[in-house]
Amino acid sequence: MAQRHGIKVVILMGVSGSGKTTIAHALAVRTGFAEQDGDDYHPAANIEKMKAGIPLSDDDRLPWLRAIAKAIDHYADSDTPIIIACSALKRAYRDILVHGRDDVRIVHLTGSPDLIARRLTHRGGHFMPPGLLDSQIETLEPPQPGEQILTVDIDAPVERIVDDIVAALHLPDRTGVRAS
Protein backbone atom coordinates (compact mmCIF):
# COMPACT_ATOMS: atom_id res chain seq x y z
CA MET A 1 0.00 0.00 0.00
CA ALA A 2 2.67 2.56 0.98
CA GLN A 3 5.04 1.43 -1.78
CA ARG A 4 2.71 2.90 -4.36
CA HIS A 5 2.97 6.26 -2.62
CA GLY A 6 6.68 6.05 -1.84
CA ILE A 7 6.17 7.06 1.79
CA LYS A 8 6.83 4.42 4.42
CA VAL A 9 7.36 6.65 7.46
CA VAL A 10 5.61 9.84 8.54
CA ILE A 11 7.16 11.65 11.50
CA LEU A 12 4.86 14.06 13.30
CA MET A 13 7.05 16.70 14.93
CA GLY A 14 6.37 19.59 17.26
CA VAL A 15 6.67 20.76 20.82
CA SER A 16 5.00 18.92 23.67
CA GLY A 17 1.26 19.54 23.57
CA SER A 18 1.07 20.09 19.82
CA GLY A 19 -1.03 16.94 19.42
CA LYS A 20 1.55 14.56 17.98
CA THR A 21 0.18 11.44 19.68
CA THR A 22 -3.46 12.31 18.99
CA ILE A 23 -2.82 13.08 15.32
CA ALA A 24 -0.57 10.00 14.96
CA HIS A 25 -3.37 7.76 16.18
CA ALA A 26 -6.01 9.36 13.94
CA LEU A 27 -3.66 9.31 10.95
CA ALA A 28 -2.80 5.64 11.55
CA VAL A 29 -6.50 4.74 11.66
CA ARG A 30 -7.12 6.68 8.44
CA THR A 31 -4.17 5.28 6.49
CA GLY A 32 -3.79 1.80 7.96
CA PHE A 33 -0.18 2.61 8.90
CA ALA A 34 1.19 1.34 12.21
CA GLU A 35 1.84 3.96 14.88
CA GLN A 36 4.55 4.49 17.45
CA ASP A 37 5.19 7.22 20.01
CA GLY A 38 8.78 8.40 20.01
CA ASP A 39 8.53 8.87 23.77
CA ASP A 40 8.60 5.08 24.08
CA TYR A 41 12.25 5.16 22.96
CA HIS A 42 13.44 7.50 25.73
CA PRO A 43 15.84 5.96 28.22
CA ALA A 44 14.55 5.99 31.81
CA ALA A 45 17.08 8.70 32.74
CA ASN A 46 15.56 11.09 30.17
CA ILE A 47 12.06 10.52 31.50
CA GLU A 48 13.22 11.12 35.07
CA LYS A 49 14.90 14.39 34.04
CA MET A 50 11.75 15.62 32.30
CA LYS A 51 9.54 14.60 35.23
CA ALA A 52 11.83 16.67 37.43
CA GLY A 53 11.36 19.66 35.11
CA ILE A 54 14.91 19.50 33.74
CA PRO A 55 15.21 20.12 29.98
CA LEU A 56 17.08 17.47 27.99
CA SER A 57 20.44 18.31 26.46
CA ASP A 58 21.56 17.30 22.98
CA ASP A 59 23.67 14.56 24.63
CA ASP A 60 20.54 13.26 26.40
CA ARG A 61 18.60 13.19 23.16
CA LEU A 62 21.22 11.49 20.97
CA PRO A 63 20.65 7.85 22.07
CA TRP A 64 16.89 8.44 21.89
CA LEU A 65 17.10 9.81 18.34
CA ARG A 66 19.38 6.97 17.24
CA ALA A 67 16.91 4.43 18.63
CA ILE A 68 14.07 6.03 16.68
CA ALA A 69 16.20 6.14 13.52
CA LYS A 70 16.89 2.42 13.96
CA ALA A 71 13.14 1.79 14.34
CA ILE A 72 12.49 3.83 11.18
CA ASP A 73 14.90 1.59 9.27
CA HIS A 74 13.27 -1.52 10.70
CA TYR A 75 9.72 -0.51 9.80
CA ALA A 76 10.54 0.94 6.38
CA ASP A 77 12.85 -1.91 5.37
CA SER A 78 10.25 -4.49 6.39
CA ASP A 79 7.66 -2.60 4.30
CA THR A 80 5.57 -1.77 7.36
CA PRO A 81 4.42 1.83 6.91
CA ILE A 82 4.34 3.73 10.20
CA ILE A 83 3.43 7.06 11.77
CA ILE A 84 5.89 8.15 14.49
CA ALA A 85 5.24 10.98 16.94
CA CYS A 86 8.55 12.64 17.83
CA SER A 87 9.34 16.21 18.85
CA ALA A 88 12.33 16.46 16.42
CA LEU A 89 12.88 20.05 17.54
CA LYS A 90 16.19 20.76 15.77
CA ARG A 91 17.27 20.25 12.21
CA ALA A 92 20.18 18.12 13.43
CA TYR A 93 17.67 15.83 15.17
CA ARG A 94 15.56 15.58 12.04
CA ASP A 95 18.67 14.78 10.00
CA ILE A 96 19.41 11.86 12.36
CA LEU A 97 15.85 10.58 12.01
CA VAL A 98 15.61 10.87 8.22
CA HIS A 99 19.29 9.99 7.61
CA GLY A 100 19.01 10.35 3.84
CA ARG A 101 15.94 8.15 3.38
CA ASP A 102 13.60 9.32 0.62
CA ASP A 103 10.66 7.32 2.01
CA VAL A 104 10.36 9.39 5.21
CA ARG A 105 8.26 12.56 5.48
CA ILE A 106 8.05 14.99 8.37
CA VAL A 107 4.92 16.91 9.31
CA HIS A 108 5.43 19.88 11.65
CA LEU A 109 2.41 20.37 13.91
CA THR A 110 2.47 24.01 14.95
CA GLY A 111 0.27 26.41 16.85
CA SER A 112 0.39 29.45 19.08
CA PRO A 113 2.21 29.07 22.40
CA ASP A 114 -1.01 30.05 24.20
CA LEU A 115 -3.01 27.27 22.52
CA ILE A 116 -0.33 24.69 23.27
CA ALA A 117 0.03 25.86 26.89
CA ARG A 118 -3.76 25.52 27.38
CA ARG A 119 -3.64 21.99 25.99
CA LEU A 120 -0.77 21.04 28.28
CA THR A 121 -2.57 22.26 31.40
CA HIS A 122 -5.56 20.02 30.54
CA ARG A 123 -3.48 16.97 29.69
CA GLY A 124 -3.00 14.35 32.35
CA GLY A 125 -0.86 11.28 32.76
CA HIS A 126 2.17 12.49 30.79
CA PHE A 127 5.69 12.80 32.20
CA MET A 128 6.35 16.11 30.43
CA PRO A 129 5.38 18.98 32.75
CA PRO A 130 3.85 22.15 31.22
CA GLY A 131 6.78 24.11 32.68
CA LEU A 132 9.12 22.70 30.02
CA LEU A 133 7.11 24.18 27.13
CA ASP A 134 9.18 27.36 27.08
CA SER A 135 12.43 25.37 26.81
CA GLN A 136 10.97 23.37 23.92
CA ILE A 137 9.83 26.53 22.12
CA GLU A 138 13.34 28.01 22.61
CA THR A 139 14.92 24.79 21.26
CA LEU A 140 12.59 24.49 18.25
CA GLU A 141 14.22 25.21 14.91
CA PRO A 142 11.36 25.67 12.44
CA PRO A 143 11.67 23.80 9.14
CA GLN A 144 14.37 25.22 6.93
CA PRO A 145 14.76 25.33 3.15
CA GLY A 146 15.66 21.94 1.77
CA GLU A 147 13.99 19.94 4.55
CA GLN A 148 10.76 19.32 2.63
CA ILE A 149 8.60 19.46 5.76
CA LEU A 150 4.84 19.87 5.65
CA THR A 151 3.71 22.44 8.23
CA VAL A 152 0.17 22.06 9.58
CA ASP A 153 -1.61 24.43 11.97
CA ILE A 154 -3.12 22.59 14.94
CA ASP A 155 -5.89 25.11 15.55
CA ALA A 156 -8.42 22.88 13.78
CA PRO A 157 -10.37 19.70 14.53
CA VAL A 158 -8.33 16.49 14.47
CA GLU A 159 -10.25 15.20 11.43
CA ARG A 160 -9.42 18.35 9.43
CA ILE A 161 -5.73 18.12 10.36
CA VAL A 162 -5.67 14.47 9.27
CA ASP A 163 -7.49 15.38 6.03
CA ASP A 164 -4.84 18.00 5.28
CA ILE A 165 -1.96 15.58 5.91
CA VAL A 166 -3.49 12.73 3.89
CA ALA A 167 -4.18 15.07 0.97
CA ALA A 168 -0.83 16.88 1.02
CA LEU A 169 1.24 13.70 1.27
CA HIS A 170 -1.05 11.63 -1.00
CA LEU A 171 -1.33 8.95 1.65
CA PRO A 172 -3.72 6.02 1.31
CA ASP A 173 -7.16 6.65 2.79
CA ARG A 174 -8.64 3.36 3.87
CA THR A 175 -11.77 4.92 5.36
CA GLY A 176 -12.73 7.38 2.68
CA VAL A 177 -14.04 9.58 5.50
CA ARG A 178 -13.47 13.29 5.10
CA ALA A 179 -14.20 16.09 7.52
CA SER A 180 -16.63 18.65 6.21
Side-chain angles (χ1 to χ4, degrees):
M1 171 169 34
Q3 284 270 2
R4 185 179 54 186
H5 301 280
I7 298 174
K8 294 181 181 176
V9 179
V10 177
I11 299 169
L12 297 175
M13 69 162 281
V15 297
S16 184
S18 61
K20 297 180 299 289
T21 302
T22 300
I23 300 302
H25 178 71
L27 191 58
V29 168
R30 176 73 71 82
T31 61
F33 284 25
E35 69 179 288
Q36 184 72 54
D37 195 319
D39 286 344
D40 294 341
Y41 293 90
H42 271 298
N46 283 8
I47 293 172
E48 290 307 313
K49 276 183 96 167
M50 289 183 281
K51 280 182 179 177
I54 302 168
L56 297 179
S57 69
D58 286 350
D59 288 340
D60 294 327
R61 288 185 176 105
L62 192 56
W64 170 65
L65 293 164
R66 287 181 178 152
I68 296 171
K70 185 176 177 181
I72 286 169
D73 286 340
H74 168 76
Y75 284 102
D77 294 345
S78 66
D79 201 28
T80 303
I82 189 164
I83 311 295
I84 299 177
C86 174
S87 55
L89 298 175
K90 291 184 178 181
R91 181 168 187 164
Y93 304 166
R94 298 186 291 267
D95 289 346
I96 290 169
L97 296 171
V98 175
H99 56 285
R101 294 192 73 106
D102 62 2
D103 53 0
V104 177
R105 296 294 179 277
I106 298 177
V107 177
H108 179 205
L109 300 176
T110 187
S112 75
D114 289 340
L115 172 62
I116 294 169
R118 281 194 310 272
R119 288 180 175 187
L120 281 174
T121 59
H122 296 298
R123 177 170 81 172
H126 194 276
F127 60 81
M128 180 73 146
L132 287 181
L133 177 59
D134 288 341
S135 74
Q136 286 212 330
I137 291 171
E138 289 171 15
T139 301
L140 175 66
E141 293 176 359
Q144 300 168 26
E147 283 193 273
Q148 300 181 16
I149 294 177
L150 173 65
T151 299
V152 178
D153 193 306
I154 60 168
D155 193 10
V158 170
E159 296 80 14
R160 177 97 14 95
I161 294 168
V162 170
D163 284 347
D164 291 347
I165 295 168
V166 167
L169 297 181
H170 307 287
L171 297 175
D173 185 347
R174 58 179 219 155
T175 65
V177 175
R178 295 277 186 219
S180 54

